[in-house]
Amino acid sequence: MERSGEDDVADNRAHLTAPSDDDDGGGDFEASALSSNMFLDHVGEVVLTHNSDGLSWELRESIPNEGSHCLGIKLDHKVPDNIKLSDMYAVELAGYGSIHRSNAGQICFGTEFHGYEMYLLKVHGFKKSKTKPCLWVPATYTFGHKDLSTCEMWVNLVNASLNREVGRPKNLLVFVHPLSGKGNGYRNWEMVAPIFARAQIKTRVIVTQRAGHAFDVITSITNNVLRSYDGVVTVGGDGFFNEILNALLSSRYKAPYPPAPSDFAQSVGINGCSVVHNPNEIVSENSDQNEDDDPLLAIPQHNGSGSSNLHTYHQDADFPFPNEWFRFGIIPAGSTDAIVLCTTGARDPITSALHIVLGKRLSLDIAQVVRWRATAASKVEPCVRYAASFAGYGFYGDVISDSEKYRWMGPKRYDYCGTKVFLKHRTYEAEIAYLEVESENTNSASDRVQALWGTNKSERLICRTNCMLCNTKPVYTSSRATRPTPYSRPEETRWLKSKGCFLSVGAAIMSNRNERAPDGLVIDAHLSDGFLHLIMIKDCPRASYLWHLTELARKGGHPLDFEFVEHHKVHFLITFHVSSASLNIFGLPCFLYVVQTPAFTFTSSGNQSVWNLDGELFQAHQLSAQVFRGLISLFASGPEV
């Protein structure tokens, strides 16, 4: 005989300990497992149990192992039987409504669904897509009971457990770029806003109205007000995120200029002083009207030698960076969304929102780029910018510059402008110097590379969730710095230089995966290892460059692994010095150079230069750059395997 919901009230009260009258849902409940008989929608009568890990449930009447059949087809009745607290973000009373019970094991057209009217409670969490583990899908479990007080006790019980989860945000500042991508900014926020509401997260939402609006708001907020938020969320593309990143760092973070070879330092008069950039100068170069905001593919590099004076950096005591509690969140709405793809593994607003409400945390390297001269004729006037994903010159600077005239085309303008720039095959004469860093417990660059990446390219360590390399402290740290930069041991550094005609020069802070480069510019670049991947492509035949770009655009391609450099098995080197004379194979000149470095300098021999910083234009004839390891934290957990 079937049991009704009323039959279980006594059982529930016997097993479930109610909170005291003055408990607001945040008090401590007894640690032992608590259980109650409930109905789970579309499943049936279950015993719901609460324990330290979360909730689990067991059917009162087991479903036959063979499952049911419909037209001779066996149906799978496997349903989840638990949800962890770490995967749960909200629980709520859902009023009075129907719960349906399925009698598994019957022929499908004869299966009856018994509807019960009772009080409902909903548990909100997520599950990973079976085909795409990085894609998180909302999962809601609806339980019912005839007794309202029983449902209320369960809501209070689960809320008390959720309140004890560490790191979950309670108050967020949200900026929405309404024109981002194809105008998806506001629509994407409306899509995810209910998730934040269910999680009881307060959000102050600002929809930007003009260029530089978000920048002005961030720089005008006092530290006391900013500290009342657990983080800032951007709804837009990578360029919009770059604007807010620069607003926070330029107004609150003090750091020395990047290190440089002695001749470069003398030419620009570097004195090692800490600087905070003038916010107005950044706004003038930022474009809040960018719908797309993201680095495109990737590029260039080579070698030399020298030395420099190195400095530690300082933190603002009022609002320090790195910051253990304040995090950045990104709801993707751009044209490429490389940062989201690299940090969550999915270009999906729902997945990003779930990472935020669950309080995920991921450290991210940030590059500081200092422009010393905008043009060859300019005076030395340092201008500081920060980048989270990519800095590119030459081909990629020209593409982003030319695409400004074709915004009406949307994301397709990159393909159109990229084709135009490629056909011009323009080269740029420049000099690049990059910092080589030796690890104190390895004897050579190749030893260190082998230790990290292995001797076979298939053994390269790809950055994933709980990445071993990103979570390992560097061995070249200095005790003088609270958060040292990778070049904290000047006695173990040297400068390598390259001068010539380049098709492109770029620095990748992360792999920069996107739809145009599905594996990224550098497939095994890491999110928080303290290094830039400097990629330089010297002048080469147009066919060779097309080959490189084609490999970038292909899933499983090898853009940095051409036959004429095949004898160099490891391309992503921590301290690798490539000799151009040794890379002329079968009469074909090598044009591709890749090196991992914490800092580099650049000087153009032309009149002016255009750089691409996270998809934003940046005029710079002469610049220097350095990377700060784990300078900021994101609401993310890294891409899954």
Side-chain angles (χ1 to χ4, degrees), residues 154-190:
W154 273 99
V155 169
N156 291 334
L157 177 66
V158 176
N159 272 329
S161 297
L162 292 178
N163 288 336
R164 289 193 291 269
E165 288 289 293
V166 177
R168 298 201 176 185
K170 299 298 183 184
N171 197 10
L172 294 171
L173 180 60
V174 180
F175 289 93
V176 179
H177 191 328
L179 301 179
S180 189
K182 295 182 179 180
N184 292 328
Y186 196 76
R187 287 194 295 271
N188 285 5
W189 171 247
E190 288 183 321

Side-chain angles (χ1 to χ4, degrees), residues 208-231:
T208 57
Q209 304 296 322
R210 56 178 173 78
H213 185 182
F215 188 97
D216 291 343
V217 171
I218 290 290
T219 54
S220 64
I221 292 178
T222 66
N223 283 341
N224 285 336
V225 172
L226 196 58
R227 280 196 296 268
S228 68
Y229 297 103
D230 298 305

Side-chain angles (χ1 to χ4, degrees), residues 175-283:
F175 289 93
V176 179
H177 191 328
L179 301 179
S180 189
K182 295 182 179 180
N184 292 328
Y186 196 76
R187 287 194 295 271
N188 285 5
W189 171 247
E190 288 183 321
M191 182 194 307
V192 301
I195 294 177
F196 291 85
R198 290 191 200 104
Q200 299 181 16
I201 297 175
K202 296 179 181 178
T203 55
R204 176 190 173 190
V205 181
I206 299 174
V207 180
T208 57
Q209 304 296 322
R210 56 178 173 78
H213 185 182
F215 188 97
D216 291 343
V217 171
I218 290 290
T219 54
S220 64
I221 292 178
T222 66
N223 283 341
N224 285 336
V225 172
L226 196 58
R227 280 196 296 268
S228 68
Y229 297 103
D230 298 305
V232 58
V233 175
T234 66
V235 186
D238 289 349
F240 190 46
F241 171 75
N242 180 274
E243 176 182 344
I244 292 174
L245 173 71
N246 275 275
L248 272 166
L249 294 180
S250 65
S251 60
R252 290 171 171 85
Y253 181 62
K254 298 180 180 180
Y257 297 131
S262 57
D263 54 349
F264 183 93
Q266 292 169 6
S267 69
V268 298
I270 297 178
N271 57 18
C273 295
S274 297
V275 294
V276 174
H277 179 55
N278 180 356
N280 294 327
E281 193 165 4
I282 293 184
V283 173

Side-chain angles (χ1 to χ4, degrees), residues 28 110 210 339 351 404 408 510 528 541 593 599 603:
D28 290 333
R210 56 178 173 78
I339 297 177
T351 299
E404 290 295 308
W408 55 271
M510 58 179 62
S528 184
Y593 306 87
T603 302

Side-chain angles (χ1 to χ4, degrees), residues 465-521:
T465 302
N466 299 319
C467 175
M468 177 185 67
L469 185 59
C470 293
N471 292 335
T472 302
K473 288 186 177 181
V475 296
Y476 37 80
T477 58
S478 166
S479 60
R480 296 189 301 271
T482 304
R483 186 79 171 187
T485 55
Y487 50 85
S488 299
R489 302 179 68 89
E491 70 277 4
E492 298 180 9
T493 62
R494 63 171 177 157
W495 287 93
L496 307 177
K497 293 184 179 179
S498 176
K499 184 175 182 179
C501 291
F502 298 91
L503 283 166
S504 54
V505 177
I509 307 161
M510 58 179 62
S511 65
N512 283 280
R513 293 174 53 209
N514 59 75
E515 291 180 356
R516 292 173 176 81
D519 289 332
L521 309 178

Side-chain angles (χ1 to χ4, degrees), residues 334-624:
S335 294
T336 48
D337 300 308
I339 297 177
V340 165
L341 272 170
C342 290
T343 55
T344 69
R347 190 183 173 193
D348 175 59
I350 297 293
T351 299
S352 293
L354 290 170
H355 275 85
I356 295 171
V357 299
L358 291 171
K360 301 299 182 181
R361 183 186 301 276
L362 181 71
S363 294
L364 191 66
D365 289 346
I366 297 296
Q368 177 203 52
V369 180
V370 180
R371 178 184 67 196
W372 298 98
R373 289 186 176 92
T375 67
S378 300
K379 296 186 297 183
V380 174
E381 293 179 336
C383 169
V384 179
R385 288 285 297 272
Y386 295 92
S389 62
F390 175 74
Y393 163 78
F395 177 84
Y396 294 100
D398 287 352
V399 170
I400 197 71
S401 178
D402 192 50
S403 68
E404 290 295 308
K405 298 179 292 185
Y406 301 98
R407 289 196 166 275
W408 55 271
M409 295 178 65
K412 292 185 180 297
R413 68 182 185 269
Y414 289 131
D415 298 328
Y416 174 69
C417 295
T419 302
K420 287 177 58 180
V421 173
F422 169 78
L423 292 175
K424 290 180 180 178
H425 202 64
R426 183 181 176 187
T427 59
Y428 308 82
E429 187 174 355
E431 179 178 286
I432 300 130
Y434 57 89
L435 190 63
E436 183 184 56
V437 180
E438 287 283 356
S439 170
E440 66 182 14
N441 62 354
T442 56
N443 296 323
S444 67
S446 59
D447 290 340
R448 184 170 183 197
V449 171
Q450 183 172 341
L452 290 177
W453 309 109
T455 57
N456 190 308
K457 62 187 177 184
S458 64
E459 297 175 15
R460 291 171 185 162
L461 182 62
I462 306 298
C463 195
R464 299 295 189 192
T465 302
N466 299 319
C467 175
M468 177 185 67
L469 185 59
C470 293
N471 292 335
T472 302
K473 288 186 177 181
V475 296
Y476 37 80
T477 58
S478 166
S479 60
R480 296 189 301 271
T482 304
R483 186 79 171 187
T485 55
Y487 50 85
S488 299
R489 302 179 68 89
E491 70 277 4
E492 298 180 9
T493 62
R494 63 171 177 157
W495 287 93
L496 307 177
K497 293 184 179 179
S498 176
K499 184 175 182 179
C501 291
F502 298 91
L503 283 166
S504 54
V505 177
I509 307 161
M510 58 179 62
S511 65
N512 283 280
R513 293 174 53 209
N514 59 75
E515 291 180 356
R516 292 173 176 81
D519 289 332
L521 309 178
V522 184
I523 189 172
D524 46 8
H526 284 255
L527 297 171
S528 184
D529 64 350
F531 287 100
L532 298 164
H533 284 265
L534 189 61
I535 313 165
M536 299 183 289
I537 300 181
K538 279 202 166 184
D539 191 13
C540 67
R542 185 182 279 106
S544 296
Y545 194 41
L546 177 61
W547 189 1
H548 164 70
L549 294 175
T550 301
E551 288 294 298
L552 275 174
R554 184 173 69 87
K555 179 71 174 176
H558 301 281
L560 310 179
D561 193 19
F562 295 95
E563 289 184 2
F564 37 86
V565 292
E566 186 174 356
H567 65 298
H568 289 276
K569 297 295 185 183
V570 183
H571 292 282
F572 311 110
L573 303 184
I574 302 298
T575 55
F576 187 58
H577 181 183
V578 182
S579 171
S580 60
S582 67
L583 295 182
N584 192 314
I585 310 299
F586 307 121
L588 297 174
C590 175
F591 65 94
L592 181 63
Y593 306 87
V594 184
V595 68
Q596 230 175 353
T597 179
F600 72 93
T601 65
F602 169 89
T603 302
S604 171
S605 299
N607 293 327
Q608 63 181 21
S609 301
V610 177
W611 281 76
N612 172 354
L613 297 187
D614 288 351
E616 297 295 310
L617 285 174
F618 190 55
Q619 292 284 139
H621 167 78
Q622 190 173 35
L623 61 76
S624 58

